Amino acid sequence: MSFDPDRVTTITFDSYSTIVDVEAAQKALADRVDDPKPVSRLWRSRSLAYTFLANQIDAYKPFYEMNRDALQYALDVHGVDITTEERDEILAVYHELDVFDDVRDGMNKLYDAGYDLYVVSNGNPEMLDSMVDFAGIGGLLEDTVSADEIQTFKPAAELYRHASDRTSTEIEEIAHVTAGYFDVYGAMHAGMQGVWVNRDDGPWDSFAGEPDLTIASFHDLHDELM
């Protein structure tokens, strides 16, 4: 399927890895872990795995708690013995993650072009509030939509349909922008157009098809829509 700019009235954005860089969490590990990179990667991958599993076994927890449990697992696997207080200090970095360079200007262009902009995220409301504040994008967004509102994580179709209801937009009029391949597939399955932000110039995970659109930055999306 090819991208149809004429259908788009509303743009939704993922948060983590799309607006803010979760790899920055590695910095918070560096003072306490000899080799923070593998710990950081396992933390992130386990966090996502927990959300996928939670959808299937009705084991929902707010994402911040899922993320805490994933961090503890990653620390345990790598034999890192720190206090609960130290672990929670590392976890708190999710409130102040680095913003990708194209985000503010790119979103501002889309806002000026007349599109309604939202964040649709697994993050619970408190996480999203701090992310929006730290990223400095609050004035550009209509609202944030959290998985916590229906206690169902991506890529379940229910969350994207909930976002359609919350944004008062027909689902086929929404372009969902995300760096996560599973999030692209989930959005497209639910009826949105899926826009993949290829942040690291890597290959697409093509086991179930292709994105409607692939971009390198938010500026590219603006150009495609104009």
Side-chain angles (χ1 to χ4, degrees):
M1 183 182 295
S2 59
F3 185 67
D4 182 0
D6 294 335
R7 282 169 50 192
V8 180
T9 62
T10 295
I11 303 170
T12 57
F13 297 88
D14 176 47
S15 52
Y16 305 108
S17 296
T18 303
I19 291 175
V20 291
D21 185 4
V22 295
E23 293 300 323
Q26 193 172 308
K27 298 175 185 175
L29 288 162
D31 292 338
R32 299 177 175 89
V33 179
D34 291 337
D35 188 5
K37 192 170 185 178
V39 179
S40 178
R41 286 183 172 176
L42 181 57
W43 174 15
R44 176 63 175 165
S45 65
R46 212 65 177 191
S47 181
L48 290 174
Y50 289 169
T51 63
F52 298 156
L53 182 59
N55 279 355
Q56 301 304 314
I57 64 171
D58 298 325
Y60 178 84
K61 293 181 183 179
F63 186 68
Y64 199 78
E65 295 179 26
M66 292 278 191
N67 213 26
R68 178 199 62 207
D69 294 344
L71 173 57
Q72 186 62 59
Y73 176 77
L75 293 169
D76 291 344
V77 165
H78 289 277
V80 179
D81 185 16
I82 59 176
T83 67
T84 300
E85 182 179 358
E86 287 175 312
R87 181 204 65 193
D88 289 346
E89 287 173 356
I90 295 170
L91 184 64
V93 75
Y94 263 74
H95 291 298
E96 296 183 347
L97 292 173
D98 295 340
V99 184
F100 288 108
D101 291 342
D102 60 304
V103 167
R104 295 187 186 97
D105 288 346
M107 290 181 76
N108 193 64
K109 285 181 180 179
L110 294 165
Y111 176 86
D112 286 345
Y115 293 97
D116 291 332
L117 310 182
Y118 292 82
V119 166
V120 177
S121 173
N122 279 342
N124 43 291
E126 295 81 5
M127 293 179 73
L128 296 183
D129 286 347
S130 59
M131 184 210 71
V132 168
D133 287 344
F134 194 75
I137 56 175
L140 303 174
L141 295 174
E142 296 292 324
D143 206 350
T144 60
V145 180
S146 168
D148 193 62
E149 296 170 18
I150 61 168
Q151 299 193 352
T152 303
F153 292 113
K154 299 173 179 179
E158 290 86 350
L159 180 54
Y160 305 97
R161 291 169 185 154
H162 174 67
S164 173
D165 291 340
R166 283 271 276 102
T167 63
S168 300
T169 309
E170 295 295 326
I171 200 161
E172 63 270 13
E173 296 179 9
I174 299 174
H176 184 62
V177 182
T178 177
Y181 78 97
F182 64 92
D183 196 10
V184 174
Y185 281 131
M188 292 172 63
H189 174 66
M192 297 177 177
Q193 294 195 80
V195 180
W196 181 46
V197 188
N198 187 359
R199 288 282 185 206
D200 58 4
D201 196 28
W204 169 248
D205 202 323
S206 59
F207 82 101
E210 299 293 326
D212 291 308
L213 178 66
T214 297
I215 58 176
S217 76
F218 289 3
H219 299 294
D220 294 342
L221 177 58
H222 174 267
D223 294 344
E224 289 285 342
L225 289 166
M226 292 301 100

